[in-house]
Amino acid sequence: MTNHQAHANDFSLADELEATAHWDDADSEEEFDDEPVSPDGADPEEDPTVGAMELAERHALRRVASLRTELEDITEVEYRQLRLERVVLVGVWTEGSVQDAENSMAELALLAETAGSEVLEAIYQRRQAPDPATYIGRGKVEALKEIVQVTGADTVICDGELAPSQLRNLEDRTGVKVVDRTALILDIFAQHAKSKEGQAQVELAQLNYLKQRLRGWGGNLSRQVGGRAAGGVGIGGRGPGETKIETDRRRIRTRIAKLNRELREMKGTRDTKRATRKRNQIPAVVIAGYTNAGKSSLLNRLTGAGVLVEDALFATLDPTTRRTDTSDGRVYTMSDTVGFVRHLPHQLVEAFRSTLEEVADADLILHVVDGSHPDPEGQLAAVREVFAEIGASDVPELVVINKADAADPVVLGRLQRAEPHSVVVSARTGEGIDEALRLIEADLPRPAVDFEVLLPYSRGDLLNKIHQHGEIDALEHTGDGTKVRGRTNETLAGELAAYAV
């Protein structure tokens, strides 16, 4: 009985195994049913396409639960978002009207936003002079501390250049980082500098600013004192001193010396190009003005340069020079320069002096001013202060009142009355550009040497030079050659002397 049951069980097990032998094939068919097929309906195993293979791989990864990257908790998403620095603006109003103080704070807010921060609050105080200890009075410091705590600000930005002691005292009393206007502008320049020369100039300005504002380790290292000055410690109480800050200063001085050498080499290249233009007596026109007044837009409109244009302060720092010509064929260059601003940091003026020399050596300055700005007269005055500092006050100047499409006609009329040699334009719409070009051509240096020559037809090169570097009063094609009368520079007049009539 027992053996019979065992044989029966063995027979039954064998039958069951035989009955399930085709299950593996069925599973394989079901797996292939899920695989993607090629667009023409072919089997992926026979004719796989790149798209099908990538799609299959992507679907295969999605089937692995441990590789899923979708976030379930919304707080994690918020944590991954970019968080702008939250700042509070502080100003001291020492002179001028209330409108001047508000305009200055509005400009500081634009600078802060350009640097990549979010302005939460702005306060300013009327004082005869900034407080020597904390820039603002004691009461304002307490109010500022409360504003910082309530708003959750990370940084306080002051509308002025602060002394190292003022920065330290404000940070100690507010509990957050404090930066001044100079550091803010230097930070914007560091973000926007693209060329090697621009980056070196900005780094030099930053190091000159930082050199006077280094901090030591405070009480972590003992001073080099002894005897009674050390509280009676005497021998053995002389500490190592603050060696870290001296090391930092030495490194900064070494880096400044290296940057100065590099900038001198770059200045040599710029001087060589400038000397070549002077040797060929090519007039130079420089576009200068307040930041965000539309200088780059004007350069693009006048020459088709295609440089970067952005509605931001100090959007472009690296100068751009383009060769163009007048309606009568005279060649001249037009250059864009770095924008200016009220209280432009002295470190930047010194670092960018080689670039700003383009303005001082120009034959004509196109002084661009934003006609839609609340205080265009203030912009003109601030830029002319920089002109005086770099020795460009005597260069002929054409005031270009830009953004006529957004400006008040009353303001435009007031500016034109105050600046007789000016033109109103809109670099965005093209309004007034033809008039600006006419005035530029009229203000360019005139050739001083009169000539009258008969050029043989084989000297077409000289005729081309006359068109580029001279003015033609009369031109006549005769049987013996081309008869030309006009004015040109001394160099070309010497070449034409052999064909004088």
Side-chain angles (χ1 to χ4, degrees):
M1 180 69 180
T2 303
N3 291 336
H4 176 71
Q5 289 178 349
H7 286 297
N9 290 339
D10 291 341
F11 178 79
S12 176
L13 179 61
D15 291 343
E16 292 295 334
L17 291 174
E18 183 179 359
T20 60
H22 66 282
W23 284 11
D24 292 338
D25 296 336
D27 291 342
S28 299
E29 292 179 1
E30 290 178 0
E31 288 178 0
F32 282 118
D33 289 343
D34 292 336
E35 293 294 333
V37 296
S38 57
D40 56 0
D43 190 347
E45 289 291 335
E46 297 176 0
D47 187 21
T49 63
V50 175
M53 292 168 61
E54 291 180 352
L55 185 62
E57 182 180 2
R58 185 173 300 176
H59 285 177
L61 289 175
R62 287 180 179 175
R63 293 191 187 103
V64 181
S66 61
L67 296 183
R68 191 165 68 95
T69 59
E70 295 181 2
L71 301 175
E72 298 289 346
D73 189 0
I74 189 64
T75 59
E76 188 175 358
V77 180
E78 293 177 348
Y79 178 76
R80 293 188 178 192
Q81 289 179 348
L82 176 64
R83 183 174 180 270
L84 298 177
E85 193 169 2
R86 299 155 64 88
V87 302
V88 175
L89 308 181
V90 179
V92 172
W93 168 32
T94 58
E95 58 184 4
S97 62
V98 178
Q99 185 64 36
D100 294 335
E102 293 180 352
N103 290 339
S104 181
M105 295 301 294
E107 182 177 272
L108 186 66
L110 290 176
L111 289 170
E113 292 175 358
T114 303
S117 59
E118 178 186 0
V119 179
L120 303 179
E121 190 68 56
I123 61 173
Y124 60 88
Q125 183 183 26
R126 181 72 170 95
R127 294 177 62 93
Q128 292 183 350
D131 185 78
T134 58
Y135 183 66
I136 52 178
R138 183 181 305 175
K140 279 292 182 181
V141 171
E142 296 300 324
L144 176 61
K145 181 178 180 180
E146 294 180 3
I147 292 174
V148 168
Q149 293 175 347
V150 171
T151 59
D154 309 309
T155 307
V156 172
I157 301 178
C158 297
D159 189 20
E161 185 170 350
L162 303 187
S165 59
Q166 292 174 322
L167 285 171
R168 183 170 59 252
N169 292 336
L170 276 178
E171 286 187 349
D172 292 342
R173 299 191 185 187
T174 59
V176 295
K177 179 177 66 175
V178 177
V179 298
D180 58 9
R181 182 187 180 92
T182 300
L184 178 61
I185 294 177
L186 290 174
D187 184 79
I188 297 173
F189 271 60
Q191 293 180 32
H192 294 175
K194 301 300 180 183
S195 68
K196 182 178 180 180
E197 183 180 15
Q199 292 174 348
Q201 289 168 331
V202 173
E203 184 180 357
L204 178 61
Q206 287 178 316
L207 291 176
N208 283 323
Y209 172 82
L210 182 63
K211 182 173 61 175
Q212 305 299 329
R213 291 166 173 81
L214 290 178
R215 295 190 183 182
W217 291 102
N220 294 338
L221 291 178
S222 57
R223 307 287 181 177
Q224 292 183 353
V225 294
R228 294 182 179 179
V233 177
I235 297 175
R238 298 176 177 86
E242 292 187 345
T243 57
K244 178 65 170 59
I245 191 171
E246 293 300 328
T247 302
D248 292 341
R249 285 175 179 163
R250 184 168 57 254
R251 290 177 177 175
I252 288 178
R253 287 193 295 267
T254 303
R255 182 60 179 167
I256 288 176
K258 182 179 179 181
L259 289 174
N260 282 325
R261 289 194 300 269
E262 294 177 356
L263 288 174
R264 278 195 297 269
E265 296 175 359
M266 298 176 190
K267 182 178 182 298
T269 303
R270 186 179 296 279
D271 291 341
T272 301
K273 295 180 180 178
R274 190 183 302 125
T276 302
R277 293 197 297 267
K278 286 185 176 181
R279 184 171 60 252
N280 296 330
Q281 298 188 6
I282 300 177
V285 178
V286 169
I287 303 176
Y290 212 80
T291 180
N292 205 30
K295 298 182 298 299
S296 299
S297 300
L298 184 64
L299 180 68
N300 290 341
R301 177 66 70 171
L302 293 175
T303 66
V307 298
L308 171 69
V309 173
E310 184 182 3
D311 185 16
L313 304 182
F314 302 112
T316 54
L317 300 182
D318 302 317
T320 302
T321 301
R322 291 293 182 268
R323 182 185 177 113
T324 184
D325 51 21
T326 62
S327 59
D328 57 359
R330 285 181 294 153
V331 175
Y332 66 98
T333 61
M334 185 170 291
S335 304
D336 184 19
T337 59
V338 61
F340 303 141
V341 72
R342 290 183 182 88
H343 311 300
L344 188 67
H346 181 70
Q347 295 90 345
L348 282 177
V349 176
E350 288 299 320
F352 280 77
R353 184 166 294 277
S354 61
T355 302
L356 296 177
E357 286 178 356
E358 297 281 349
V359 181
D361 293 337
D363 296 293
L364 176 65
I365 297 177
L366 298 186
H367 186 168
V368 184
V369 60
D370 183 0
S372 63
H373 192 269
D375 185 21
E377 291 86 356
Q379 288 191 351
L380 288 168
V383 173
R384 283 169 177 159
E385 287 181 4
V386 182
F387 284 170
E389 189 172 353
I390 62 177
S393 299
D394 297 332
V395 180
E397 179 184 6
L398 172 62
V399 177
V400 181
I401 307 171
N402 193 23
K403 304 185 183 180
D405 53 314
D408 187 351
V410 176
V411 176
L412 297 179
R414 187 182 72 223
L415 288 174
Q416 285 189 297
R417 288 190 298 271
E419 302 291 340
H421 193 51
S422 61
V423 60
V424 177
V425 304
S426 173
R428 188 176 68 86
T429 64
E431 175 187 350
I433 295 298
D434 294 337
E435 177 66 13
L437 287 172
R438 185 187 66 80
L439 292 175
I440 292 172
E441 294 179 10
D443 289 344
L444 285 176
R446 295 286 180 179
V449 181
D450 294 328
F451 70 90
E452 186 174 357
V453 295
L454 181 63
L455 296 176
Y457 289 115
S458 60
R459 295 307 307 267
D461 58 325
L462 288 179
L463 183 60
N464 182 54
K465 288 184 178 180
I466 294 174
H467 280 289
Q468 291 183 344
H469 305 293
E471 292 182 355
I472 297 176
D473 295 334
L475 188 147
E476 180 184 358
H477 297 286
T478 66
D480 299 327
T482 305
K483 189 174 183 180
V484 188
R485 178 169 52 85
R487 290 169 302 279
T488 186
N489 56 59
E490 295 181 0
T491 303
L492 184 54
E495 297 183 44
L496 298 174
Y499 305 99
V501 175

